[in-house]
Every structure is written in structure tokens, then in C-alpha cells.
Amino acid sequence: MKNLIKQDGLAMPVIVAIIATALVLGGITYYNLRPEGEKMMEEGEDMMEEGEKMMQEGESMMEEGEDMMEEGEKMMEEEGTTMEEGEHMMEEDEGAMMEQEYKGEVLAGSTSPLIVFNSDDYQAALNSEELVVLYFYANWCPVCRAETRDALYPAFNELDNENVVGFRVNYNDSNTDSSEKDLAREFGVAYQHTKVFLKNGERILKAPDSWSKQRYLDEISNAL
């Protein structure tokens, strides 16, 4: 009996140690062998949270992009309006300039006006790139009256070129002023119904003979 107790006394610590070791190993095994599904679920939840975060950021970026697009469209519309207003203003300015360019009485033509001579309009024409046609006219001259009526006026009425302007210059009649006398002297005009063409301020033609309408059209076309 004493031998058995003695043996049991020796065996108990061993048994206790074995049981403790088994519990520890079992716990480790359980931890290492816990279902992979739990790990995957945790990882999946993490990925879902990350995906939601990315989606939120993407939505925010899309909203910012839409705002930028709307702002760009607004700017384009405003620029379009500004351009239209600018073009309209330019057209109005050009129209005003056209209206103010020549102030004298227009005897014939619209696109290519024939104007009663005056110094301001003449100087404006000289400063332009237009072909300037001078017709020296005397109110007592029957040839002048016939030529202006039948050839000069009809030719200018037919012309459709913005680069041509004409002046009927009084010559040795009751309407001739000092500036017209100076002009006749400048170009050496000795007879009424003389024609003088000027381009870039230089005389390119001088003719004292009478012309037909077609001759005016041909000479002007050749001079342009």
C-alpha cells in the first residue's frame, strides 16, 4: 500500500504536466487552425471598407469634375457672348467709320462714291489706299455736263469696289474755291473735263479728252 501511494505520488506531477502541455498545445493548434473563413471575412471587410472609401473619393472627384465642366461651359458661354458683343461693336465702329469717312455730297455711287470736292474728304482719300479719281468740272461747260451725266455718274453707279473714290472738282467757274485752284495748278490742269487718277498719293493717269462710261470702267479697272 505504501509502495502504491509512493508510486502515485511520483506519477501525479507527470500527469499534471502532460495535461497542461496538452492544453497549451491544443490552444496553439486551435489558434493556428481556426477556420480560414474568419480570416478571409476579416480581410474582405477591410477590402470593402477600402473600396467604399475609394468610391467616396471617386464620387467626390466626379462632383468636382462636373463642377469644373459647368464652370468651363459657363466661361465658354460668357466668352461667346463677349466675342459676339466685340464683333458687334467692331461692326458698329466700322459702320460709323464708313459713315464719317466722307462728309461731302455724294453725286453718284454708293460702294464707290463720287463726291463734290472738299479738302477734308480729299485728304482722307489720299491717306487711304483707295484709287482717287478727279474730274475737273466747269458748270458753264456743255461737254462737262454731258460727260458727267452720260458717262461719269453712270460709271460710278455701276462700280462696286470699296477701293475707289471720285471727286468732281470745280474748275474756273463761279463755284471754284482756292483749294480747287491749287489742286488744278498742282496737276497742271489746263482744260475742264480733265481726268486725274491718284494711287498711294502719286499721279498715275492724266487725260483731257472726253470718255464714255465704258472707258471710265476700263481705265479704273486697269488702275486698281
Side-chain angles (χ1 to χ4, degrees):
M1 187 68 174
K2 290 179 179 179
N3 291 334
L4 181 59
I5 294 171
K6 184 179 180 179
Q7 292 176 356
D8 290 340
L10 293 173
M12 285 301 291
V14 174
I15 293 170
V16 170
I18 291 171
I19 293 172
T21 301
L23 290 172
V24 171
L25 292 175
I28 294 172
T29 301
Y30 173 77
Y31 178 81
N32 290 332
L33 298 179
R34 65 179 176 174
E36 289 294 324
E38 292 180 0
K39 293 182 179 180
M40 293 177 66
M41 287 179 66
E42 291 175 357
E43 293 175 353
E45 290 174 353
D46 292 340
M47 291 177 66
M48 287 179 65
E49 290 177 358
E50 187 67 24
E52 290 176 353
K53 183 179 179 180
M54 292 177 67
M55 286 179 64
Q56 291 175 353
E57 292 176 350
E59 290 175 353
S60 178
M61 291 177 67
M62 287 179 65
E63 291 175 356
E64 291 177 356
E66 291 176 352
D67 292 340
M68 291 177 67
M69 287 179 64
E70 291 177 357
E71 186 67 22
E73 292 176 352
K74 183 179 179 180
M75 290 177 65
M76 288 178 66
E77 291 175 355
E78 291 175 352
E79 288 177 358
T81 302
T82 302
M83 288 178 66
E84 291 176 358
E85 291 175 352
E87 290 174 353
H88 184 62
M89 289 176 65
M90 286 179 65
E91 291 175 356
E92 289 180 346
D93 289 342
E94 288 175 357
M97 289 177 65
M98 288 292 291
E99 292 176 359
Q100 297 175 1
E101 185 176 3
Y102 298 119
K103 302 176 182 179
E105 178 187 354
V106 177
L107 299 169
S110 55
T111 305
S112 306
L114 177 67
I115 304 167
V116 173
F117 179 84
N118 65 87
S119 296
D120 291 340
D121 286 349
Y122 177 63
Q123 288 301 320
L126 289 181
N127 293 332
S128 72
E129 297 181 354
E130 296 174 322
L131 173 67
V132 179
V133 177
L134 303 179
Y135 182 88
F136 288 85
Y137 172 89
N139 56 19
W140 49 262
C141 172
V143 175
C144 296
R145 291 196 296 268
E147 185 173 345
T148 53
R149 181 188 65 240
D150 300 332
L152 181 62
Y153 294 175
F156 270 83
N157 284 331
E158 190 170 319
L159 284 171
D160 187 21
N161 192 316
E162 296 177 352
N163 294 317
V164 181
V165 59
F167 293 94
R168 193 191 71 181
V169 185
N170 294 313
Y171 177 79
N172 283 345
D173 64 9
S174 57
N175 295 323
T176 305
D177 61 22
S178 59
S179 62
E180 291 170 318
K181 290 179 181 179
D182 291 340
L183 196 62
R185 282 194 294 267
E186 178 182 352
F187 297 115
V189 175
Y191 302 98
Q192 62 278 6
H193 57 74
T194 296
K195 275 73 69 177
V196 175
F197 284 15
L198 305 172
K199 194 169 186 180
N200 298 322
E202 299 293 331
R203 190 185 76 184
I204 60 173
L205 180 148
K206 178 181 176 183
D209 55 320
S210 296
W211 287 1
S212 65
K213 182 186 82 169
Q214 190 59 49
R215 176 76 181 277
Y216 274 104
L217 294 174
D218 292 341
E219 293 289 353
I220 289 172
S221 177
N222 293 335
L224 288 172

